[in-house]
Amino acid sequence: MTVNRYGSKTTYSQIGDGMYAEERHQAIAELVATRGRMAVTELATHFDVTTETVRRDLSQLEKLKLLRRVHGGAVSMRSLTMLEAQLEDRAHENAAEKDRIARAAVALLPEGGCTLLMDAGSTTARLAALLPPTGRWTVVTHAVPIAAMLAPLAHVELHLLPGRVRTATQAAVGHTTVTAVRDFRADLAFLGTNGISVQHGLSTPDAEEAATKRALVESAQRVVALTDASKVGQERTIRFAALEDLDVLVTDTRIADADVADLEAAGLDVIRA
């Protein structure tokens, strides 16, 4: 309830055009914070306004850091700072899809071998386990589990990057890791990601992890992201690569056709395994 300049009281219990813009902004911010994610079309229907009005509202709310705009809607700032799941927990999530993604990624390897940069992650670890024994592979990685898997193999020349090992990802990070990555030039880099979207690119919650991933991207002639469809449309706090830095996305068949179209329009080759 508000009091207008004539002294009479007006109740704004209704939604839509009967609300002041400031009231609608507050209501939108509360909805997104409560639900975690809202689509533009959902908000337009809820408040009985046009999608163009909602988009303008979201832009203003993003400037105030009350939410983050994403493709087709908005997500709460809380969802952008979610804690990372432990590596062991992530390994069991969407396991069948990750297995298919890893097998599809093997087809991108050149015959005979090459130099690979391998990021930490449950899906990249699956790919490492599938490196063909008929080739000669030089593998550079900061992931302790991947290094432990590849170290005994005669057909792999392994380079384990130095740095502080994070418990969550079991991967080396920090200044020494980034500096060491830049000494290499690889044919292919295989990356994991916590989120990928058209607007925000590839992202992760941790700044040191992001810096290492960024160095991997910069040191490879061709960059391939391996991620299950649950990460598509998700955004985390730190962007480590724009979509134009990426050549191929290998994901699973659960990805929406609209997301495939948007990613391909941005120049990506999208493979659904």
Side-chain angles (χ1 to χ4, degrees), residues 33-50:
T34 300
R35 301 187 185 182
R37 183 185 183 99
M38 291 287 289
V40 168
T41 51
E42 289 179 303
L43 291 167
T45 300
H46 185 85
F47 292 99
D48 193 24
V49 294
T50 66

Side-chain angles (χ1 to χ4, degrees), residues 238-262:
I238 312 295
R239 181 172 73 169
F240 63 85
L243 287 189
E244 54 262 33
D245 299 321
L246 190 63
D247 297 292
V248 183
L249 170 66
V250 186
T251 186
D252 62 76
T253 54
R254 298 173 303 159
I255 187 173
D257 290 340
D259 287 328
V260 173
D262 289 341

Side-chain angles (χ1 to χ4, degrees), residues 3-77:
V3 178
N4 64 27
R5 64 193 179 97
Y6 299 106
S8 61
K9 295 179 179 179
T10 305
T11 300
Y12 291 97
S13 58
Q14 72 273 34
I15 57 177
D17 294 334
M19 299 181 83
Y20 284 135
E22 291 82 359
E23 293 177 300
R24 189 175 62 250
H25 291 170
Q26 181 177 349
I28 288 174
E30 290 174 354
L31 261 179
V32 173
T34 300
R35 301 187 185 182
R37 183 185 183 99
M38 291 287 289
V40 168
T41 51
E42 289 179 303
L43 291 167
T45 300
H46 185 85
F47 292 99
D48 193 24
V49 294
T50 66
T51 54
E52 289 75 13
T53 296
V54 170
R55 291 188 179 94
R56 287 195 297 270
D57 291 344
L58 295 181
S59 293
Q60 293 181 46
L61 289 167
E62 185 175 46
K63 290 177 183 177
L64 295 172
K65 300 188 183 302
L66 295 175
L67 51 76
R68 165 87 70 172
R69 290 194 65 184
V70 297
H71 178 64
V75 297
S76 70
M77 295 303 292

Side-chain angles (χ1 to χ4, degrees), residues 79-234:
S79 70
L80 292 171
T81 55
M82 290 168 55
L83 291 174
E84 295 168 280
Q86 296 292 308
L87 181 62
E88 184 177 354
D89 296 330
R90 296 203 309 271
H92 299 294
E93 295 175 354
N94 305 309
E97 288 81 7
K98 291 175 180 178
D99 287 340
R100 294 201 304 271
I101 290 168
R103 289 195 295 269
V106 171
L108 300 175
L109 297 171
E111 291 186 10
C114 68
T115 299
L116 304 173
L117 290 171
M118 301 202 74
D119 189 14
S122 54
T123 309
T124 50
R126 284 168 162 82
L127 171 60
L130 297 175
L131 288 178
T134 53
R136 289 289 303 175
W137 310 99
T138 298
V139 177
V140 182
T141 186
H142 65 131
V144 174
I146 291 177
M149 181 193 310
L150 298 179
L153 303 182
H155 62 286
V156 174
E157 178 185 311
L158 176 66
H159 296 261
L160 177 59
L161 297 167
R164 178 182 65 86
V165 176
R166 296 186 66 223
T167 302
T169 59
Q170 297 178 34
V173 296
H175 175 72
T176 55
T177 312
V178 171
T179 300
V181 171
R182 289 174 175 161
D183 287 338
F184 291 91
R185 186 62 172 165
D187 301 292
L188 275 168
F190 288 100
L191 299 176
T193 185
N194 295 86
I196 178 171
S197 72
V198 172
Q199 288 83 1
H200 197 50
L202 284 74
S203 56
T204 189
D206 183 80
E208 286 188 309
E209 200 84 46
T212 303
K213 290 175 181 288
R214 193 175 297 119
L216 293 172
V217 170
E218 293 169 352
S219 297
Q221 295 182 12
R222 196 163 185 239
V223 181
V224 180
L226 310 179
T227 184
D228 65 84
S230 69
K231 309 290 180 59
V232 178
Q234 298 296 310

